[in-house]
Amino acid sequence: MKNTLRTSFSAIHLFILVLFLSLFAPNKTLANPDSSILYAEITDAKIAYRVYGEGSPIILCTGYATNMDLWSNVFIEALQKHYQVIVFDYRGMGKSSNSGTSFTMASLAKDLSEFMEAIGIKEAHILGWSMGGYVAQMFAIQYPEKLKKLILYATDPGDGITINPSKEIIGILSSPKSSSLDLLKTLFPNDWLAKHPKPWLVLPHATEAYHPKTIGMEYEAVQKWLEPLGGSVGHLHQLKMPVLLICGNKDKVVPCQNSSILHDSIRSSTLINVYDSGHGMMYQIPSTFSSYVLAFLGDNREN
């Protein structure tokens, strides 16, 4: 497919989708609902974050145009029994500030490195979902000494070789005529939706604000990632740490073939293609998703 198609798709995709997540979602709370929002100072920004549980830290990098309150509650509850789980907002998103400067996936990875230093973490596990997988890949390439294990969930390598979704899904995600339910359904496989006519019931309740200016910056950063030589492909062979690639075989948004491309480039990687699951795997089958992640990390053992 031509790069123009990738650009057209990325212009709208998860931004519209995420806006509707916050409208549909029921008011669910975590096992530790009193975890307060904390702040860390980095270069030209203040990063908002939350901490759940205790133990070896795992930091979660969220997707395009999303905030830290959109992680699956069930997933975080499972992780926090064994690990210190840290979720955060990228600069300019949610409750994080930004000086107004633009950024790239590499600079967001630098932000993550500075954030870890600011909160006193020398080494952590990193999990990146969708665009968060771009940030996680660049962090692994630039700061391997700070990374224990890497989990790349429903993401792609960029570089002009990313496999696009179907024309039907691109049409739904990019059309202003698409209904909110149509947009929401792109997260899940059709057969699962047939059994779950109210898919919003599995979603967390999103409360943080969305900032169009920052989302525009994220959009530009995504476009650069998808350009030839703009992603991670030429550097993935450098990765030595254990890497888990996990995707749904019915992912409509980021086809699972992209994880296979990453797998072919990362010698230390393990690929799990989860049957009958989609881009919203952590909402659709949170216990199964959690079990794969915990098994890879080693449950509550020190890693």
Side-chain angles (χ1 to χ4, degrees):
M1 295 184 182
K2 296 181 180 180
N3 196 50
T4 51
L5 182 57
R6 271 190 291 275
T7 301
S8 174
F9 162 63
S10 296
I12 304 295
H13 72 304
L14 292 180
F15 171 48
I16 297 176
L17 195 57
V18 166
L19 290 179
F20 284 107
L21 295 188
S22 62
L23 295 177
F24 276 129
N27 187 8
K28 298 181 180 179
T29 58
L30 288 166
N32 183 13
D34 296 325
S35 179
S36 60
I37 295 177
L38 305 171
Y39 295 91
E41 297 280 352
I42 64 170
T43 303
D44 297 326
K46 181 183 292 185
I47 300 299
Y49 68 104
R50 291 181 184 268
V51 178
Y52 301 96
E54 297 179 352
S56 182
I58 176 170
I59 302 175
L60 310 184
C61 301
T62 194
Y64 173 65
T66 64
N67 298 326
M68 61 180 167
D69 58 356
L70 275 168
W71 288 102
S72 161
N73 295 338
V74 177
F75 178 52
I76 291 181
E77 287 174 347
L79 287 184
Q80 72 176 19
K81 294 176 182 178
H82 309 286
Y83 294 91
Q84 180 187 66
V85 183
I86 300 169
V87 297
F88 70 101
D89 290 328
Y90 299 122
R91 63 168 61 229
M93 288 296 292
K95 296 185 181 298
S96 292
S97 68
N98 183 22
S99 65
T101 57
S102 61
F103 45 76
T104 63
M105 296 306 156
S107 69
L108 289 178
K110 182 176 182 293
D111 283 352
L112 177 54
S113 176
E114 289 190 19
F115 169 62
M116 289 175 62
E117 292 174 2
I119 63 176
I121 294 178
K122 294 182 179 180
E123 189 179 32
H125 305 296
I126 303 291
L127 182 150
W129 174 40
S130 201
M131 189 201 83
Y134 305 169
V135 178
Q137 287 174 64
M138 292 311 299
F139 182 85
I141 292 165
Q142 295 175 359
Y143 308 99
E145 73 282 358
K146 295 185 177 182
L147 183 55
K148 291 184 178 181
K149 293 184 179 181
L150 174 64
I151 302 166
L152 300 176
Y153 159 40
T155 192
D156 65 68
D159 275 303
I161 64 171
T162 292
I163 304 299
N164 290 300
S166 68
K167 291 182 179 180
E168 177 186 1
I169 296 302
I170 291 173
I172 292 172
L173 292 169
S174 61
S175 174
K177 297 181 180 180
S178 296
S179 71
S180 55
L181 187 56
D182 286 339
L183 290 163
L184 181 58
K185 285 181 176 179
T186 63
L187 278 178
F188 306 104
N190 292 337
D191 50 356
W192 184 86
L193 287 166
K195 298 177 182 178
H196 300 82
K198 298 179 180 180
W200 55 89
L201 294 178
V202 303
L203 302 175
H205 180 57
T207 59
E208 289 190 290
Y210 294 89
H211 305 296
K213 181 178 179 180
T214 303
I215 290 170
M217 293 180 184
E218 285 192 357
Y219 166 68
E220 294 299 329
V222 167
Q223 298 317 299
K224 292 177 181 178
W225 177 266
L226 295 172
E227 292 174 354
L229 304 179
S232 62
V233 172
H235 307 282
L236 293 173
H237 67 280
Q238 302 171 16
L239 302 186
K240 306 297 181 184
M241 74 288 296
V243 179
L244 174 64
L245 301 162
I246 184 166
C247 61
N249 74 322
K250 294 186 177 179
D251 192 326
K252 300 174 184 177
V253 179
V254 180
C256 61
Q257 293 95 319
N258 289 295
S259 290
S260 296
I261 294 172
L262 288 166
H263 182 48
D264 289 342
S265 300
I266 305 173
R267 294 182 180 180
S268 59
S269 67
T270 298
L271 173 61
I272 298 179
N273 191 334
V274 183
Y275 184 71
D276 273 350
S277 67
H279 200 66
M281 185 195 311
M282 68 173 171
Y283 308 129
Q284 179 192 345
I285 48 171
S287 295
T288 300
F289 179 68
S290 301
S291 66
Y292 283 127
V293 171
L294 286 170
F296 172 71
L297 293 176
D299 291 342
N300 61 346
R301 293 187 293 273
E302 289 296 325
N303 296 300

